[in-house]
């Protein structure tokens, strides 16, 4: 297990590393702006494997299993702009305030992350400056540009959750995550509940808070945009068939939501 320490902050991403931002359908005309904070599980080459065996780096602790395929396909179906982040949340979690202890976790579920132990301040800042900041600045810029162009913007943050966490089985197939927006989440919940085969979580298995989340509070709530997160259970989208089915299902649901929002003149 190769493990390299922080060192010079400016070189966290080398020529062999990809940029943190992945985008799809940048000229999409949909009012829905899709984000995906835990899309990828890459690690900058300079950080080695964070001291973890390969098996840990493909588990849910490293990323949101299955959501990348759903996000790309949903973006295509809806003609919606997707902004996603390619590096593992074990490097830096793009849905945590940088000051939160879980931003660069020293432990995730029951796994200790050796490469995150005892990080010097410049090593922490390097991760923020090279991954977290560009991703969130870009979301900001895209929202600015859409607002300037008079384009309606509804923020939808895509995630997936593990079927069992800390020994507890989670019964939901899908959940909504929200806090302050009272417009989009009830619509989304009611349409998801209209799907006869689904057990739907209302702010389950997670709820949004300013302390534990970043994307919805900062880009959605603080800017007054309608917003919701969606969590899909990972075993349902572990393969391409499941990802396609869920992308089609969500595309149908968001098309209905768009129709309703247009009737209410909210977009
Ligand atoms: Zn996530």
């Amino acid at each position: 297990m190769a493990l390299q320490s922080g060192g010079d902050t400016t070189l966290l991403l080398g020529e062999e590393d990809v940029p943190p931002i992945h985008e799809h359908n940048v000229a999409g005309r949909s009012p829905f702006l899709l984000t995906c904070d835990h899309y990828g599980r890459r690690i900058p080459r300079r950080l080695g494997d964070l001291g973890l065996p390969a098996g840990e780096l493909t588990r849910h602790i490293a990323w949101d299993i299955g959501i990348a395929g759903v996000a790309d396909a949903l973006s295509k179906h809806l003609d919606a702009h997707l902004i996603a982040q390619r590096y593992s949340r074990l490097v830096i979690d793009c849905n945590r305030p940088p000051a939160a202890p879980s931003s660069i976790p020293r432990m995730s579920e029951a796994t200790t992350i050796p490469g995150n132990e005892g990080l010097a301040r410049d090593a922490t800042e390097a991760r923020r400056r090279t991954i977290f900041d560009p991703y969130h600045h870009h979301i900001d810029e895209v929202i600015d540009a859409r607002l300037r162009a008079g384009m309606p913007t509804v923020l939808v943050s895509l995630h997936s959750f593990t079927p069992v966490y800390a020994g507890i089985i989670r019964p939901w197939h899908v959940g909504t995550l929200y806090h302050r927006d009272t417009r989009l989440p009830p619509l989304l919940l009611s349409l998801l509940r209209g799907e006869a085969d689904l057990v739907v979580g209302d702010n389950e298995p997670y709820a949004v808070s300013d302390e534990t989340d970043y994307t919805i509070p900062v880009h959605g709530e603080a800017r007054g945009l309608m917003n919701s997160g969606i969590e899909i259970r990972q075993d349902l989208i572990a393969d391409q068939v499941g990802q396609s089915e869920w992308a089609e299902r969500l595309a149908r649901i968001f098309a209905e939501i768009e129709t309703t929002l247009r009737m209410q003149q909210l977009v």
Side-chain angles (χ1 to χ4, degrees), residues 17 20 42 51 74 80 90 116 123 125 130 144-145 200 205 212 224 235 246:
D17 291 309
R42 289 174 178 271
L74 182 60
L90 298 176
N116 292 348
E125 283 182 3
T130 51
D144 282 342
V200 180
T212 57
D235 56 305
W246 271 86

Side-chain angles (χ1 to χ4, degrees), residues 158-187:
L158 300 166
H159 294 269
S160 72
F161 64 96
T162 185
V164 179
Y165 187 80
I168 309 287
I169 294 172
R170 291 161 155 177
W172 314 280
H173 297 107
V174 63
T176 53
L177 297 89
Y178 58 93
H179 184 195
R180 296 183 176 94
D181 184 24
T182 56
R183 297 162 293 178
L184 178 62
L187 271 176

Side-chain angles (χ1 to χ4, degrees), residues 18-40:
V18 296
I21 299 166
H22 161 86
E23 286 186 292
H24 199 71
N25 219 357
V26 294
R29 298 305 302 164
S30 168
F32 299 107
L33 173 64
L34 308 178
T35 59
C36 196
D37 307 329
H38 304 138
Y39 179 96

Side-chain angles (χ1 to χ4, degrees), residues 36-39 60 63-65 67 89 93 95-96 157-161 177 206 230-231 234:
C36 196
D37 307 329
H38 304 138
Y39 179 96
H60 72 91
W63 63 331
D64 280 3
I65 292 169
I67 203 65
R89 66 165 147 240
D93 191 328
N95 191 34
R96 295 283 180 277
S157 179
L158 300 166
H159 294 269
S160 72
F161 64 96
L177 297 89
Y206 303 105
I230 293 187
E231 290 268 2
Q234 289 168 359

